[in-house]
Tab-separated table of all heavy atoms in Angstrom:
chain	number	residue	atom	x	y	z
K	7	MET	N	43.426	-126.734	-33.632
K	7	MET	CA	43.066	-128.133	-33.828
K	7	MET	C	44.265	-128.897	-34.400
K	7	MET	O	44.919	-128.443	-35.316
K	7	MET	CB	41.873	-128.216	-34.792
K	7	MET	CG	41.472	-129.653	-35.087
K	7	MET	SD	40.038	-129.745	-36.174
K	7	MET	CE	38.754	-129.395	-34.992
K	8	ALA	N	44.546	-130.034	-33.830
K	8	ALA	CA	45.693	-130.837	-34.256
K	8	ALA	C	45.405	-131.523	-35.589
K	8	ALA	O	44.270	-131.835	-35.915
K	8	ALA	CB	46.015	-131.883	-33.196
K	9	ASP	N	46.446	-131.744	-36.347
K	9	ASP	CA	46.324	-132.438	-37.635
K	9	ASP	C	46.285	-133.932	-37.357
K	9	ASP	O	47.304	-134.552	-37.061
K	9	ASP	CB	47.511	-132.076	-38.529
K	9	ASP	CG	47.445	-132.760	-39.879
K	9	ASP	OD1	46.427	-133.428	-40.169
K	9	ASP	OD2	48.405	-132.620	-40.650
K	10	ARG	N	45.091	-134.521	-37.448
K	10	ARG	CA	44.930	-135.940	-37.115
K	10	ARG	C	45.551	-136.852	-38.166
K	10	ARG	O	45.815	-138.004	-37.896
K	10	ARG	CB	43.453	-136.269	-36.913
K	10	ARG	CG	42.881	-135.545	-35.709
K	10	ARG	CD	41.529	-136.065	-35.338
K	10	ARG	NE	41.492	-137.500	-35.185
K	10	ARG	CZ	41.743	-138.165	-34.068
K	10	ARG	NH1	42.072	-137.524	-32.988
K	10	ARG	NH2	41.646	-139.475	-34.029
K	11	SER	N	45.807	-136.340	-39.382
K	11	SER	CA	46.401	-137.187	-40.413
K	11	SER	C	47.803	-137.638	-40.008
K	11	SER	O	48.269	-138.679	-40.443
K	11	SER	CB	46.441	-136.469	-41.755
K	11	SER	OG	47.320	-135.364	-41.701
K	12	ALA	N	48.459	-136.855	-39.152
K	12	ALA	CA	49.803	-137.233	-38.709
K	12	ALA	C	49.761	-138.500	-37.862
K	12	ALA	O	50.759	-139.186	-37.716
K	12	ALA	CB	50.433	-136.087	-37.929
K	13	ASP	N	48.590	-138.798	-37.254
K	13	ASP	CA	48.451	-139.979	-36.403
K	13	ASP	C	48.152	-141.254	-37.194
K	13	ASP	O	48.192	-142.336	-36.637
K	13	ASP	CB	47.322	-139.780	-35.384
K	13	ASP	CG	47.652	-138.667	-34.400
K	13	ASP	OD1	48.849	-138.403	-34.188
K	13	ASP	OD2	46.709	-138.076	-33.866
K	14	LEU	N	47.809	-141.113	-38.465
K	14	LEU	CA	47.433	-142.272	-39.265
K	14	LEU	C	48.632	-143.167	-39.542
K	14	LEU	O	49.726	-142.693	-39.803
K	14	LEU	CB	46.853	-141.834	-40.614
K	14	LEU	CG	45.475	-141.213	-40.625
K	14	LEU	CD1	45.125	-140.799	-42.047
K	14	LEU	CD2	44.433	-142.167	-40.086
K	15	LEU	N	48.389	-144.456	-39.489
K	15	LEU	CA	49.365	-145.414	-39.993
K	15	LEU	C	48.799	-145.975	-41.288
K	15	LEU	O	47.610	-146.258	-41.389
K	15	LEU	CB	49.604	-146.534	-38.984
K	15	LEU	CG	50.370	-146.124	-37.734
K	15	LEU	CD1	50.497	-147.320	-36.793
K	15	LEU	CD2	51.738	-145.582	-38.078
K	16	LEU	N	49.644	-146.103	-42.278
K	16	LEU	CA	49.207	-146.533	-43.602
K	16	LEU	C	49.889	-147.831	-43.983
K	16	LEU	O	51.061	-148.049	-43.684
K	16	LEU	CB	49.533	-145.453	-44.632
K	16	LEU	CG	48.977	-144.069	-44.318
K	16	LEU	CD1	49.407	-143.090	-45.391
K	16	LEU	CD2	47.481	-144.093	-44.188
K	17	GLU	N	49.127	-148.697	-44.645
K	17	GLU	CA	49.707	-149.906	-45.222
K	17	GLU	C	50.224	-149.553	-46.607
K	17	GLU	O	49.481	-149.041	-47.440
K	17	GLU	CB	48.654	-151.009	-45.342
K	17	GLU	CG	48.221	-151.578	-44.024
K	17	GLU	CD	47.270	-152.754	-44.180
K	17	GLU	OE1	46.801	-153.007	-45.304
K	17	GLU	OE2	46.993	-153.407	-43.163
K	18	VAL	N	51.492	-149.820	-46.836
K	18	VAL	CA	52.105	-149.549	-48.132
K	18	VAL	C	52.554	-150.887	-48.706
K	18	VAL	O	53.479	-151.512	-48.208
K	18	VAL	CB	53.296	-148.582	-47.993
K	18	VAL	CG1	53.920	-148.316	-49.354
K	18	VAL	CG2	52.856	-147.279	-47.335
K	19	ARG	N	51.847	-151.328	-49.752
K	19	ARG	CA	52.160	-152.623	-50.375
K	19	ARG	C	52.810	-152.376	-51.733
K	19	ARG	O	52.295	-151.639	-52.557
K	19	ARG	CB	50.897	-153.451	-50.552
K	19	ARG	CG	51.180	-154.825	-51.164
K	19	ARG	CD	49.936	-155.670	-51.271
K	19	ARG	NE	49.296	-155.903	-49.994
K	19	ARG	CZ	49.644	-156.870	-49.143
K	19	ARG	NH1	50.640	-157.679	-49.429
K	19	ARG	NH2	48.987	-157.022	-48.014
K	20	CYS	N	53.956	-153.007	-51.944
K	20	CYS	CA	54.628	-152.933	-53.230
K	20	CYS	C	53.919	-153.890	-54.190
K	20	CYS	O	53.832	-155.086	-53.923
K	20	CYS	CB	56.091	-153.308	-53.084
K	20	CYS	SG	56.976	-153.311	-54.660
K	21	CYS	N	53.400	-153.367	-55.277
K	21	CYS	CA	52.654	-154.194	-56.226
K	21	CYS	C	53.557	-155.223	-56.908
K	21	CYS	O	53.097	-156.300	-57.268
K	21	CYS	CB	51.972	-153.304	-57.266
K	21	CYS	SG	50.715	-152.215	-56.554
K	22	ALA	N	54.828	-154.909	-57.076
K	22	ALA	CA	55.736	-155.819	-57.775
K	22	ALA	C	56.121	-157.013	-56.915
K	22	ALA	O	56.160	-158.143	-57.402
K	22	ALA	CB	56.985	-155.062	-58.210
K	23	THR	N	56.407	-156.776	-55.638
K	23	THR	CA	56.905	-157.852	-54.783
K	23	THR	C	55.882	-158.356	-53.781
K	23	THR	O	56.046	-159.425	-53.210
K	23	THR	CB	58.136	-157.387	-53.987
K	23	THR	OG1	57.733	-156.362	-53.065
K	23	THR	CG2	59.219	-156.860	-54.905
K	24	GLY	N	54.830	-157.561	-53.529
K	24	GLY	CA	53.830	-157.939	-52.548
K	24	GLY	C	54.246	-157.634	-51.121
K	24	GLY	O	53.513	-157.917	-50.183
K	25	SER	N	55.433	-157.040	-50.939
K	25	SER	CA	55.882	-156.731	-49.581
K	25	SER	C	54.988	-155.655	-48.972
K	25	SER	O	54.461	-154.789	-49.666
K	25	SER	CB	57.339	-156.271	-49.579
K	25	SER	OG	57.464	-155.044	-50.262
K	26	LEU	N	54.805	-155.730	-47.659
K	26	LEU	CA	53.898	-154.838	-46.964
K	26	LEU	C	54.612	-154.170	-45.808
K	26	LEU	O	55.277	-154.826	-45.017
K	26	LEU	CB	52.693	-155.620	-46.439
K	26	LEU	CG	51.670	-154.840	-45.626
K	26	LEU	CD1	50.940	-153.837	-46.519
K	26	LEU	CD2	50.677	-155.785	-44.979
K	27	ASP	N	54.478	-152.849	-45.731
K	27	ASP	CA	55.009	-152.083	-44.605
K	27	ASP	C	53.880	-151.265	-44.017
K	27	ASP	O	52.962	-150.855	-44.733
K	27	ASP	CB	56.122	-151.130	-45.060
K	27	ASP	CG	57.381	-151.861	-45.476
K	27	ASP	OD1	57.882	-152.666	-44.672
K	27	ASP	OD2	57.855	-151.626	-46.594
K	28	VAL	N	53.941	-151.009	-42.732
K	28	VAL	CA	53.005	-150.108	-42.076
K	28	VAL	C	53.807	-148.887	-41.657
K	28	VAL	O	54.738	-148.998	-40.858
K	28	VAL	CB	52.321	-150.768	-40.868
K	28	VAL	CG1	51.404	-149.781	-40.159
K	28	VAL	CG2	51.532	-151.989	-41.319
K	29	LEU	N	53.469	-147.742	-42.240
K	29	LEU	CA	54.283	-146.544	-42.083
K	29	LEU	C	53.449	-145.350	-41.665
K	29	LEU	O	52.239	-145.304	-41.894
K	29	LEU	CB	54.973	-146.207	-43.412
K	29	LEU	CG	55.845	-147.291	-44.025
K	29	LEU	CD1	56.297	-146.872	-45.406
K	29	LEU	CD2	57.038	-147.586	-43.135
K	30	ALA	N	54.111	-144.355	-41.106
K	30	ALA	CA	53.471	-143.080	-40.819
K	30	ALA	C	53.236	-142.330	-42.128
K	30	ALA	O	53.821	-142.653	-43.169
K	30	ALA	CB	54.352	-142.251	-39.889
K	31	MET	N	52.380	-141.329	-42.081
K	31	MET	CA	52.005	-140.567	-43.275
K	31	MET	C	53.221	-140.030	-44.035
K	31	MET	O	53.318	-140.174	-45.244
K	31	MET	CB	51.087	-139.411	-42.867
K	31	MET	CG	50.648	-138.533	-44.018
K	31	MET	SD	49.595	-139.377	-45.216
K	31	MET	CE	48.128	-139.606	-44.231
K	32	GLU	N	54.169	-139.437	-43.315
K	32	GLU	CA	55.324	-138.832	-43.983
K	32	GLU	C	56.170	-139.880	-44.697
K	32	GLU	O	56.656	-139.662	-45.799
K	32	GLU	CB	56.183	-138.057	-42.977
K	32	GLU	CG	55.517	-136.847	-42.381
K	32	GLU	CD	54.534	-137.187	-41.267
K	32	GLU	OE1	54.563	-138.333	-40.749
K	32	GLU	OE2	53.710	-136.317	-40.933
K	33	GLU	N	56.347	-141.030	-44.047
K	33	GLU	CA	57.139	-142.100	-44.654
K	33	GLU	C	56.439	-142.670	-45.888
K	33	GLU	O	57.077	-142.937	-46.905
K	33	GLU	CB	57.377	-143.218	-43.638
K	33	GLU	CG	58.224	-142.799	-42.456
K	33	GLU	CD	58.225	-143.841	-41.366
K	33	GLU	OE1	57.131	-144.204	-40.884
K	33	GLU	OE2	59.317	-144.289	-40.986
K	34	ALA	N	55.125	-142.853	-45.787
K	34	ALA	CA	54.365	-143.381	-46.920
K	34	ALA	C	54.418	-142.417	-48.096
K	34	ALA	O	54.565	-142.829	-49.251
K	34	ALA	CB	52.916	-143.644	-46.516
K	35	ALA	N	54.315	-141.130	-47.804
K	35	ALA	CA	54.375	-140.125	-48.860
K	35	ALA	C	55.748	-140.127	-49.521
K	35	ALA	O	55.857	-140.044	-50.750
K	35	ALA	CB	54.054	-138.740	-48.286
K	36	LEU	N	56.791	-140.258	-48.734
K	36	LEU	CA	58.151	-140.265	-49.268
K	36	LEU	C	58.362	-141.454	-50.202
K	36	LEU	O	58.886	-141.310	-51.302
K	36	LEU	CB	59.164	-140.297	-48.120
K	36	LEU	CG	60.631	-140.288	-48.514
K	36	LEU	CD1	60.976	-138.989	-49.237
K	36	LEU	CD2	61.511	-140.457	-47.297
K	37	ILE	N	57.939	-142.637	-49.767
K	37	ILE	CA	58.109	-143.845	-50.575
K	37	ILE	C	57.306	-143.765	-51.874
K	37	ILE	O	57.772	-144.140	-52.936
K	37	ILE	CB	57.710	-145.094	-49.758
K	37	ILE	CG1	58.818	-145.404	-48.757
K	37	ILE	CG2	57.455	-146.297	-50.654
K	37	ILE	CD1	58.518	-146.550	-47.837
K	38	SER	N	56.070	-143.275	-51.771
K	38	SER	CA	55.187	-143.271	-52.934
K	38	SER	C	55.431	-142.101	-53.868
K	38	SER	O	54.987	-142.116	-55.011
K	38	SER	CB	53.723	-143.243	-52.488
K	38	SER	OG	53.430	-142.008	-51.840
K	39	GLY	N	56.127	-141.076	-53.380
K	39	GLY	CA	56.387	-139.904	-54.215
K	39	GLY	C	55.220	-138.937	-54.287
K	39	GLY	O	55.192	-138.057	-55.134
K	40	ILE	N	54.253	-139.084	-53.392
K	40	ILE	CA	53.089	-138.199	-53.355
K	40	ILE	C	53.253	-137.234	-52.184
K	40	ILE	O	53.702	-137.630	-51.114
K	40	ILE	CB	51.791	-139.001	-53.153
K	40	ILE	CG1	51.509	-139.839	-54.377
K	40	ILE	CG2	50.616	-138.109	-52.854
K	40	ILE	CD1	50.212	-140.595	-54.296
K	41	ALA	N	52.879	-135.980	-52.398
K	41	ALA	CA	52.899	-135.012	-51.305
K	41	ALA	C	51.926	-135.472	-50.217
K	41	ALA	O	50.850	-135.982	-50.536
K	41	ALA	CB	52.509	-133.631	-51.812
K	42	PRO	N	52.281	-135.310	-48.937
K	42	PRO	CA	51.403	-135.772	-47.857
K	42	PRO	C	49.974	-135.239	-47.969
K	42	PRO	O	49.019	-135.980	-47.738
K	42	PRO	CB	52.098	-135.261	-46.590
K	42	PRO	CG	53.540	-135.199	-46.962
K	42	PRO	CD	53.550	-134.790	-48.411
K	43	GLY	N	49.813	-133.980	-48.335
K	43	GLY	CA	48.469	-133.412	-48.470
K	43	GLY	C	47.651	-134.107	-49.544
K	43	GLY	O	46.463	-134.378	-49.361
K	44	GLU	N	48.286	-134.408	-50.670
K	44	GLU	CA	47.599	-135.108	-51.763
K	44	GLU	C	47.249	-136.539	-51.357
K	44	GLU	O	46.204	-137.056	-51.717
K	44	GLU	CB	48.474	-135.126	-53.019
K	44	GLU	CG	48.665	-133.758	-53.638
K	44	GLU	CD	49.604	-133.799	-54.826
K	44	GLU	OE1	49.892	-134.889	-55.353
K	44	GLU	OE2	50.057	-132.717	-55.232
K	45	LEU	N	48.139	-137.160	-50.583
K	45	LEU	CA	47.886	-138.513	-50.110
K	45	LEU	C	46.691	-138.533	-49.163
K	45	LEU	O	45.812	-139.395	-49.276
K	45	LEU	CB	49.139	-139.062	-49.427
K	45	LEU	CG	49.110	-140.508	-48.953
K	45	LEU	CD1	48.708	-141.454	-50.084
K	45	LEU	CD2	50.462	-140.898	-48.387
K	46	VAL	N	46.618	-137.557	-48.260
K	46	VAL	CA	45.488	-137.450	-47.343
K	46	VAL	C	44.185	-137.286	-48.118
K	46	VAL	O	43.183	-137.944	-47.833
K	46	VAL	CB	45.675	-136.268	-46.360
K	46	VAL	CG1	44.396	-135.994	-45.589
K	46	VAL	CG2	46.813	-136.551	-45.400
K	47	GLU	N	44.192	-136.418	-49.134
K	47	GLU	CA	42.987	-136.189	-49.942
K	47	GLU	C	42.556	-137.448	-50.671
K	47	GLU	O	41.373	-137.786	-50.710
K	47	GLU	CB	43.231	-135.062	-50.945
K	47	GLU	CG	43.336	-133.693	-50.305
K	47	GLU	CD	43.659	-132.605	-51.308
K	47	GLU	OE1	43.587	-132.871	-52.531
K	47	GLU	OE2	43.987	-131.496	-50.868
K	48	ALA	N	43.506	-138.174	-51.256
K	48	ALA	CA	43.179	-139.399	-51.985
K	48	ALA	C	42.608	-140.456	-51.051
K	48	ALA	O	41.635	-141.138	-51.389
K	48	ALA	CB	44.417	-139.933	-52.705
K	49	LEU	N	43.199	-140.591	-49.873
K	49	LEU	CA	42.709	-141.580	-48.920
K	49	LEU	C	41.320	-141.211	-48.413
K	49	LEU	O	40.474	-142.078	-48.222
K	49	LEU	CB	43.682	-141.723	-47.750
K	49	LEU	CG	45.026	-142.374	-48.098
K	49	LEU	CD1	45.993	-142.243	-46.931
K	49	LEU	CD2	44.850	-143.826	-48.493
K	50	ALA	N	41.089	-139.910	-48.211
K	50	ALA	CA	39.775	-139.466	-47.738
K	50	ALA	C	38.707	-139.699	-48.796
K	50	ALA	O	37.586	-140.086	-48.490
K	50	ALA	CB	39.832	-137.993	-47.353
K	51	GLU	N	39.056	-139.474	-50.065
K	51	GLU	CA	38.071	-139.594	-51.145
K	51	GLU	C	37.850	-141.033	-51.588
K	51	GLU	O	36.719	-141.463	-51.798
K	51	GLU	CB	38.514	-138.755	-52.344
K	51	GLU	CG	37.493	-138.727	-53.455
K	51	GLU	CD	37.843	-137.755	-54.573
K	51	GLU	OE1	38.775	-136.947	-54.407
K	51	GLU	OE2	37.180	-137.816	-55.620
K	52	PHE	N	38.930	-141.804	-51.715
K	52	PHE	CA	38.834	-143.143	-52.296
K	52	PHE	C	39.106	-144.274	-51.310
K	52	PHE	O	38.850	-145.426	-51.615
K	52	PHE	CB	39.806	-143.273	-53.472
K	52	PHE	CG	39.591	-142.252	-54.546
K	52	PHE	CD1	40.509	-141.237	-54.757
K	52	PHE	CD2	38.455	-142.290	-55.340
K	52	PHE	CE1	40.321	-140.291	-55.739
K	52	PHE	CE2	38.256	-141.342	-56.328
K	52	PHE	CZ	39.189	-140.336	-56.529
K	53	GLY	N	39.694	-143.967	-50.157
K	53	GLY	CA	40.025	-144.998	-49.180
K	53	GLY	C	41.316	-145.733	-49.486
K	53	GLY	O	41.771	-146.560	-48.718
K	54	ALA	N	41.907	-145.422	-50.632
K	54	ALA	CA	43.175	-146.036	-51.032
K	54	ALA	C	43.831	-145.145	-52.071
K	54	ALA	O	43.186	-144.284	-52.657
K	54	ALA	CB	42.949	-147.429	-51.608
K	55	CYS	N	45.105	-145.360	-52.277
K	55	CYS	CA	45.839	-144.595	-53.274
K	55	CYS	C	46.864	-145.522	-53.912
K	55	CYS	O	47.623	-146.182	-53.209
K	55	CYS	CB	46.525	-143.404	-52.607
K	55	CYS	SG	47.436	-142.360	-53.754
K	56	GLU	N	46.884	-145.572	-55.228
K	56	GLU	CA	47.861	-146.406	-55.934
K	56	GLU	C	48.707	-145.519	-56.822
K	56	GLU	O	48.188	-144.723	-57.602
K	56	GLU	CB	47.167	-147.467	-56.785
K	56	GLU	CG	48.144	-148.410	-57.453
K	56	GLU	CD	47.457	-149.557	-58.182
K	56	GLU	OE1	46.221	-149.578	-58.232
K	56	GLU	OE2	48.177	-150.416	-58.697
K	57	THR	N	50.014	-145.626	-56.668
K	57	THR	CA	50.914	-144.815	-57.480
K	57	THR	C	52.290	-145.455	-57.528
K	57	THR	O	52.714	-146.087	-56.564
K	57	THR	CB	51.029	-143.387	-56.932
K	57	THR	OG1	51.879	-142.632	-57.801
K	57	THR	CG2	51.602	-143.344	-55.552
K	58	ASP	N	52.970	-145.297	-58.631
K	58	ASP	CA	54.353	-145.745	-58.774
K	58	ASP	C	54.591	-147.158	-58.245
K	58	ASP	O	55.599	-147.432	-57.601
K	58	ASP	CB	55.308	-144.767	-58.074
K	58	ASP	CG	55.338	-143.408	-58.744
K	58	ASP	OD1	55.035	-143.332	-59.949
K	58	ASP	OD2	55.640	-142.429	-58.055
K	59	GLY	N	53.613	-148.031	-58.450
K	59	GLY	CA	53.794	-149.414	-58.048
K	59	GLY	C	53.475	-149.711	-56.599
K	59	GLY	O	53.776	-150.798	-56.112
K	60	TYR	N	52.867	-148.757	-55.901
K	60	TYR	CA	52.505	-148.975	-54.495
K	60	TYR	C	51.015	-148.770	-54.299
K	60	TYR	O	50.416	-147.872	-54.885
K	60	TYR	CB	53.252	-147.997	-53.573
K	60	TYR	CG	54.730	-148.243	-53.547
K	60	TYR	CD1	55.587	-147.535	-54.373
K	60	TYR	CD2	55.279	-149.201	-52.702
K	60	TYR	CE1	56.951	-147.767	-54.359
K	60	TYR	CE2	56.643	-149.449	-52.680
K	60	TYR	CZ	57.476	-148.723	-53.512
K	60	TYR	OH	58.817	-148.954	-53.501
K	61	MET	N	50.426	-149.625	-53.472
K	61	MET	CA	49.039	-149.460	-53.057
K	61	MET	C	49.064	-149.039	-51.599
K	61	MET	O	49.655	-149.722	-50.761
K	61	MET	CB	48.253	-150.767	-53.223
K	61	MET	CG	46.836	-150.700	-52.676
K	61	MET	SD	45.792	-149.448	-53.447
K	61	MET	CE	45.447	-150.211	-55.010
K	62	ILE	N	48.424	-147.916	-51.294
K	62	ILE	CA	48.437	-147.370	-49.945
K	62	ILE	C	47.019	-147.334	-49.412
K	62	ILE	O	46.115	-146.815	-50.067
K	62	ILE	CB	49.033	-145.952	-49.938
K	62	ILE	CG1	50.446	-145.994	-50.517
K	62	ILE	CG2	49.037	-145.374	-48.520
K	62	ILE	CD1	51.039	-144.637	-50.790
K	63	THR	N	46.824	-147.915	-48.233
K	63	THR	CA	45.528	-147.902	-47.581
K	63	THR	C	45.723	-147.563	-46.101
K	63	THR	O	46.809	-147.713	-45.554
K	63	THR	CB	44.817	-149.263	-47.696
K	63	THR	OG1	45.679	-150.278	-47.193
K	63	THR	CG2	44.448	-149.584	-49.127
K	64	VAL	N	44.650	-147.120	-45.471
K	64	VAL	CA	44.722	-146.800	-44.054
K	64	VAL	C	44.806	-148.096	-43.259
K	64	VAL	O	44.068	-149.042	-43.505
K	64	VAL	CB	43.499	-145.969	-43.622
K	64	VAL	CG1	43.530	-145.721	-42.121
K	64	VAL	CG2	43.458	-144.654	-44.383
K	65	HIS	N	45.722	-148.132	-42.320
K	65	HIS	CA	45.907	-149.293	-41.450
K	65	HIS	C	45.129	-149.043	-40.163
K	65	HIS	O	45.423	-148.074	-39.447
K	65	HIS	CB	47.395	-149.483	-41.142
K	65	HIS	CG	47.682	-150.628	-40.233
K	65	HIS	ND1	47.584	-151.936	-40.649
K	65	HIS	CD2	48.051	-150.680	-38.944
K	65	HIS	CE1	47.911	-152.733	-39.639
K	65	HIS	NE2	48.183	-151.993	-38.586
K	66	PRO	N	44.140	-149.875	-39.841
K	66	PRO	CA	43.366	-149.637	-38.619
K	66	PRO	C	44.215	-149.813	-37.373
K	66	PRO	O	44.946	-150.795	-37.245
K	66	PRO	CB	42.250	-150.686	-38.683
K	66	PRO	CG	42.771	-151.730	-39.597
K	66	PRO	CD	43.708	-151.060	-40.555
K	67	VAL	N	44.146	-148.832	-36.487
K	67	VAL	CA	44.958	-148.852	-35.268
K	67	VAL	C	44.032	-148.592	-34.082
K	67	VAL	O	43.207	-147.684	-34.104
K	67	VAL	CB	46.041	-147.758	-35.317
K	67	VAL	CG1	46.828	-147.740	-34.016
K	67	VAL	CG2	46.964	-147.987	-36.485
K	68	LEU	N	44.174	-149.393	-33.063
K	68	LEU	CA	43.439	-149.175	-31.827
K	68	LEU	C	44.322	-148.362	-30.890
K	68	LEU	O	45.461	-148.755	-30.602
K	68	LEU	CB	43.066	-150.500	-31.173
K	68	LEU	CG	42.137	-151.404	-31.984
K	68	LEU	CD1	41.914	-152.715	-31.252
K	68	LEU	CD2	40.805	-150.710	-32.232
K	69	HIS	N	43.809	-147.211	-30.457
K	69	HIS	CA	44.569	-146.354	-29.551
K	69	HIS	C	44.167	-146.647	-28.120
K	69	HIS	O	42.982	-146.690	-27.803
K	69	HIS	CB	44.320	-144.885	-29.858
K	69	HIS	CG	44.855	-144.468	-31.193
K	69	HIS	ND1	46.185	-144.244	-31.407
K	69	HIS	CD2	44.234	-144.259	-32.376
K	69	HIS	CE1	46.370	-143.904	-32.675
K	69	HIS	NE2	45.197	-143.908	-33.283
K	70	ALA	N	45.128	-146.852	-27.253
K	70	ALA	CA	44.851	-147.071	-25.852
K	70	ALA	C	44.592	-145.727	-25.182
K	70	ALA	O	45.270	-144.750	-25.463
K	70	ALA	CB	46.040	-147.755	-25.170
K	71	GLY	N	43.585	-145.669	-24.351
K	71	GLY	CA	43.267	-144.418	-23.652
K	71	GLY	C	42.569	-143.440	-24.551
K	71	GLY	O	42.079	-143.769	-25.625
K	72	THR	N	42.595	-142.173	-24.123
K	72	THR	CA	41.922	-141.127	-24.914
K	72	THR	C	42.879	-140.050	-25.311
K	72	THR	O	43.870	-139.825	-24.672
K	72	THR	CB	40.762	-140.521	-24.117
K	72	THR	OG1	41.264	-140.053	-22.864
K	72	THR	CG2	39.660	-141.522	-23.889
């Protein structure tokens, strides 16, 4: 079974500046300083993750095809 978390795009908002980026899981984890597995767990449990001045939420993406 493929790891579907790799397909997620996340909104990463800097709390200090308000800037917003939409990043892949690995990039979001790198910026926030959280291990990807821990980030996946936090998003699954709470729907968002805030750490080190960043708020991370799942970015809804429409996939074309199947």
Side-chain angles (χ1 to χ4, degrees):
M7 178 178 282
D9 180 6
R10 295 192 52 89
S11 66
D13 295 335
L14 288 177
L15 289 178
L16 305 178
E17 290 185 350
V18 180
R19 182 177 301 276
C20 177
C21 296
T23 66
S25 66
L26 177 68
D27 290 306
V28 177
L29 303 173
M31 179 66 69
E32 294 79 15
E33 295 170 303
L36 181 63
I37 285 176
S38 66
I40 292 183
E44 292 176 15
L45 184 53
V46 169
E47 289 177 11
L49 291 170
E51 185 173 349
F52 303 110
C55 181
E56 184 174 4
T57 182
D58 294 335
Y60 293 95
M61 174 60 75
I62 302 170
T63 55
V64 176
H65 179 73
V67 177
L68 298 177
H69 294 283
T72 55

